[in-house]
Amino acid sequence: PRAPSTPAVERAREKQTRLVAARTARARPLARALDVVEDIAPPPSTPSTRTLERARAMSITLENKGSLRAFPSVASMSNMSEMSAASVETQDERSADEVREAKEATLASDRGEFIEGVEQGKFVGTKIANALGDVAGEVREAALSVGRAALSDLTDKTRGAACAEALLGYLTGQGACEPMSHGEDNTHGAAIALYAHAAQLFYDDAGKVEAIKRIVEALRSVRDAGAFIGARAIGNLAADVREAAIAMLGELKSKALTGADIAERRQGAAAMAGICKGVGVAALADLHVVDEIKKAIEDKKDPVARAGALLTYAHMCRTAGRGFEPYAIGEAPIVFTLLGDRNADVREAANLAQAAVVKALPLTAMKLLSPALNAGMQHKDWQSKLGSLHIMGDLANRVPQSFMRAIPDLFPSFLDTLFDTHPKVSALCEEILPSICCCVKNAEVLGMMDLVLSAIRTPQKATEDCLDKLMETTFVNSMDAPSLAVILPVILRGLRERTKELKQKAATTFGNICALVDDPRDLLPFIPVLLPELEKAEEHSHPDLREAATRAKTSLMKGIDASQSEERK
């Protein structure tokens, strides 16, 4: 029976209808322009309808594209490699309540109706298939779980095998065409996942091996988002036919690293990652895949090798599982620097790889990305700097408590980009500066954050005022490493000034703040930059400044003593 329609669902449908009408209205001017161009000067080979639709989608994207200073979310970064062909459909204008209602409506869908639609060759017309292409990831996940549950409910293996063949028919028919939108791409990838699930339930071992081969063929027709969905489903099949699956890795590795075009490289990378998810990353050791990925990424003469290796790295991060995380972290610094590569395919693959490693790591491991983020910010290419800043800004807004632990390692390089000569870099750094600084948890520092930000932006004007405020403030909360990192630039600026008064204020302030540190090891990241300045201050001619510098230096050295004591234990 049809699921009852609620007022909220009806409102969502009406809103979706209005959105489609608005998109159509925006697309008409370009459609008329294309028709006029065709009438005036028809090309030797008339472009297909699919080509025109792609051009229209690209025009809508450019028309609605936001400013370069608006950084994307981590959740949306998996689509960045297809940014040139992205349409307005990737933007979800629904509220959180409307998305939740759409998810609940999807979970309440009739499973029997879905199975009947698949059996009749009308997979695309089912409600589940429509939800598989939804903009919201949670709605897509709900639809995929309902589809899998519907197939699992089948007790008749003959009927189940027929459903698998019907899904294969979709993949070799309509699903074999290049997706025109991200929604269609997600639907294609989900169809691959449903076919893999049906094959695991209703095929014998020989049939499962053949199903893996069919899935590998289908992965050539999807883009990265669809490949991420479809490739994960290979894992269960590969685990059931382990030896046969491992035997396919050699050919897939060749496609991934040396494929003639991006579709072939994506096909090999996604399939290899899916098989590794099922058989384990240890299977790559015999083929030396990780070594070859590293070698290809560092190959400066072959852009095809670099692009293929980055694509493989991205799919391994997203699909292969935690077994690949140590390799992912080790190669992350060079991946972050390749965003400024001269080759467009390499830049596109690096964009995808950067997003993939961020999404793959758990929140507790965000600090492990510090070397990669620093490598990107310190690189000479402005695109690499922008890539690291995008990631930092998004993490600071989405997961501030997890990102906070990385601030001491990142803040020095971040401050250098604040005064970068490239306008896009300095503008983005200026925009995300408040978000990053507000990740700290010391209440007193947060209370004077506006003054601290002013001292960081214009040190020649606001440093003394900020130091005065720090000296006047009565701190009742302990000071941790992230809070120290935020006020450190102000103290360093004061120590580097020529006037004795500012030097003494900076040294006194730092000495007082060090007394508030509960764990002396929090001082360790700041010793390399602060110790030389304090030693210079100790040689000053004025005795008050020398005394303040000596006291601050003694407090700073507690971090070294605590570290050495911990090592002896």
Side-chain angles (χ1 to χ4, degrees), residues 113-177:
E113 180 182 340
F114 171 70
I115 294 296
E116 290 177 4
V118 171
E119 289 176 325
Q120 296 171 6
K122 299 178 180 179
F123 166 74
V124 178
T126 62
K127 294 179 182 178
I128 296 299
N130 184 51
L132 289 171
D134 196 275
V135 179
E138 54 189 294
V139 177
R140 295 196 302 269
E141 288 293 332
L144 188 57
S145 65
V146 172
R148 285 173 172 157
L151 292 170
S152 299
D153 288 343
L154 294 176
T155 56
D156 186 351
K157 286 195 173 184
T158 302
R159 191 181 181 191
C163 286
E165 293 301 316
L167 289 168
L168 179 60
Y170 168 80
L171 295 176
T172 56
Q174 182 178 350
C177 302

Side-chain angles (χ1 to χ4, degrees), residues 74 313-314 316-319 321-333 336 353-373 391 395 399 402:
V74 174
Y313 174 92
M316 293 295 289
C317 286
R318 290 291 302 275
T319 305
R322 292 192 174 183
F324 191 73
E325 283 182 9
Y327 307 107
I329 294 170
E331 294 303 309
F336 278 51
Q354 184 190 59
V357 67
V358 174
K359 290 176 72 74
L361 292 179
L363 294 179
T364 53
M366 285 296 108
K367 186 176 172 62
L368 298 177
L369 280 178
S370 297
L373 291 168
I391 298 294
L395 291 176
V399 286
S402 299

Side-chain angles (χ1 to χ4, degrees), residues 170-412:
Y170 168 80
L171 295 176
T172 56
Q174 182 178 350
C177 302
E178 182 182 358
M180 291 299 302
S181 67
H182 285 286
E184 190 175 342
D185 187 37
N186 288 325
T187 302
H188 288 358
I192 295 174
L194 290 174
Y195 169 67
H197 185 69
Q200 185 190 13
L201 291 174
F202 307 114
Y203 285 177
D204 57 14
D205 286 352
K208 291 176 182 178
V209 173
E210 187 63 26
I212 293 177
K213 295 179 180 179
R214 296 293 184 88
I215 291 173
V216 172
E217 294 174 5
L219 287 172
R220 186 176 176 84
S221 302
V222 294
R223 300 199 293 237
D224 289 305
F228 288 142
I229 298 172
R232 294 190 191 102
I234 302 179
N236 292 332
L237 285 173
D240 290 345
V241 288
R242 180 182 176 86
E243 298 301 326
I246 292 176
M248 301 179 189
L249 288 175
E251 181 182 354
L252 294 175
K253 179 190 71 172
S254 178
K255 284 186 176 183
L257 299 180
T258 61
D261 54 33
I262 188 172
E264 184 176 358
R265 293 194 291 270
R266 180 188 294 128
Q267 177 191 27
M272 183 166 60
I275 290 177
C276 288
K277 178 178 176 61
V279 302
V281 178
L284 300 177
D286 295 337
L287 297 173
H288 306 288
V289 173
V290 175
D291 293 336
E292 292 193 28
I293 290 175
K294 181 177 180 179
K295 181 180 178 181
I297 288 178
E298 297 173 355
D299 189 347
K300 298 182 179 180
K301 296 182 179 180
D302 189 353
V304 173
R306 293 199 302 276
L310 287 168
L311 202 58
T312 304
Y313 174 92
H315 282 272
M316 293 295 289
C317 286
R318 290 291 302 275
T319 305
R322 292 192 174 183
F324 191 73
E325 283 182 9
Y327 307 107
I329 294 170
E331 294 303 309
I334 191 170
V335 169
F336 278 51
T337 61
L338 287 176
L339 289 170
D341 197 276
R342 295 181 179 181
N343 184 275
D345 287 343
V346 176
R347 291 196 302 271
E348 184 178 350
N351 229 338
L352 182 71
Q354 184 190 59
V357 67
V358 174
K359 290 176 72 74
L361 292 179
L363 294 179
T364 53
M366 285 296 108
K367 186 176 172 62
L368 298 177
L369 280 178
S370 297
L373 291 168
N374 276 323
M377 288 188 288
Q378 295 168 4
H379 199 259
K380 61 180 180 179
D381 295 324
W382 63 270
Q383 296 97 329
S384 300
K385 296 178 182 179
L386 277 183
S388 290
L389 292 175
H390 279 310
I391 298 294
M392 290 174 60
D394 192 76
L395 291 176
N397 279 281
R398 286 178 172 269
V399 286
Q401 295 304 313
S402 299
F403 178 73
M404 177 183 68
R405 293 189 289 270
I407 290 179
D409 298 327
L410 298 174
F411 214 67

Side-chain angles (χ1 to χ4, degrees), residues 65-86:
K65 189 175 181 181
S67 66
L68 289 172
R69 295 180 64 185
F71 46 87
S73 67
V74 174
S76 67
M77 287 183 178
S78 59
N79 296 331
M80 292 180 74
S81 67
E82 306 293 345
M83 188 66 77
S84 60

Side-chain angles (χ1 to χ4, degrees), residues 239-558:
D240 290 345
V241 288
R242 180 182 176 86
E243 298 301 326
I246 292 176
M248 301 179 189
L249 288 175
E251 181 182 354
L252 294 175
K253 179 190 71 172
S254 178
K255 284 186 176 183
L257 299 180
T258 61
D261 54 33
I262 188 172
E264 184 176 358
R265 293 194 291 270
R266 180 188 294 128
Q267 177 191 27
M272 183 166 60
I275 290 177
C276 288
K277 178 178 176 61
V279 302
V281 178
L284 300 177
D286 295 337
L287 297 173
H288 306 288
V289 173
V290 175
D291 293 336
E292 292 193 28
I293 290 175
K294 181 177 180 179
K295 181 180 178 181
I297 288 178
E298 297 173 355
D299 189 347
K300 298 182 179 180
K301 296 182 179 180
D302 189 353
V304 173
R306 293 199 302 276
L310 287 168
L311 202 58
T312 304
Y313 174 92
H315 282 272
M316 293 295 289
C317 286
R318 290 291 302 275
T319 305
R322 292 192 174 183
F324 191 73
E325 283 182 9
Y327 307 107
I329 294 170
E331 294 303 309
I334 191 170
V335 169
F336 278 51
T337 61
L338 287 176
L339 289 170
D341 197 276
R342 295 181 179 181
N343 184 275
D345 287 343
V346 176
R347 291 196 302 271
E348 184 178 350
N351 229 338
L352 182 71
Q354 184 190 59
V357 67
V358 174
K359 290 176 72 74
L361 292 179
L363 294 179
T364 53
M366 285 296 108
K367 186 176 172 62
L368 298 177
L369 280 178
S370 297
L373 291 168
N374 276 323
M377 288 188 288
Q378 295 168 4
H379 199 259
K380 61 180 180 179
D381 295 324
W382 63 270
Q383 296 97 329
S384 300
K385 296 178 182 179
L386 277 183
S388 290
L389 292 175
H390 279 310
I391 298 294
M392 290 174 60
D394 192 76
L395 291 176
N397 279 281
R398 286 178 172 269
V399 286
Q401 295 304 313
S402 299
F403 178 73
M404 177 183 68
R405 293 189 289 270
I407 290 179
D409 298 327
L410 298 174
F411 214 67
S413 299
F414 175 74
L415 289 179
D416 291 339
T417 61
L418 182 63
F419 304 101
D420 195 87
T421 56
H422 197 285
K424 292 181 181 178
V425 175
S426 57
L428 180 57
C429 192
E430 172 74 22
E431 182 169 345
I432 67 176
L433 175 62
S435 299
I436 291 177
C437 290
C438 289
C439 289
V440 302
K441 61 182 182 181
N442 183 276
E444 288 76 24
V445 174
L446 289 173
M448 64 177 74
M449 187 56 69
D450 290 340
L451 186 56
V452 173
L453 292 176
S454 178
I456 291 174
R457 293 186 180 112
T458 55
Q460 67 278 9
K461 296 181 180 179
T463 297
E464 186 169 7
D465 292 340
C466 188
L467 288 174
D468 290 338
K469 182 67 174 178
L470 285 169
M471 294 181 68
E472 295 171 1
T473 302
T474 301
F475 286 83
V476 295
N477 295 284
S478 61
M479 189 72 65
D480 56 359
S483 302
L484 280 170
V486 169
I487 62 175
L488 177 65
V490 182
I491 295 174
L492 276 176
R493 176 73 183 194
L495 289 172
R496 290 168 179 169
E497 288 288 344
R498 293 185 177 182
T499 62
K500 170 259 178 185
E501 289 76 12
L502 272 180
K503 286 179 177 290
Q504 185 171 341
K505 286 180 180 180
T508 302
T509 300
F510 183 70
N512 294 338
I513 288 176
C514 284
L516 302 171
V517 178
D518 286 340
D519 189 351
R521 289 173 296 181
D522 287 342
L523 296 170
L524 285 176
F526 313 109
I527 291 176
V529 290
L530 276 172
L531 187 58
E533 301 298 332
L534 292 174
E535 289 176 344
K536 290 179 183 177
E538 282 185 311
E539 299 174 359
H540 198 274
S541 59
H542 200 284
D544 292 342
L545 175 56
R546 293 199 301 270
E547 181 182 355
T550 301
R551 188 166 53 251
K553 179 182 174 182
T554 302
S555 300
L556 179 64
M557 298 307 289
K558 291 179 182 178

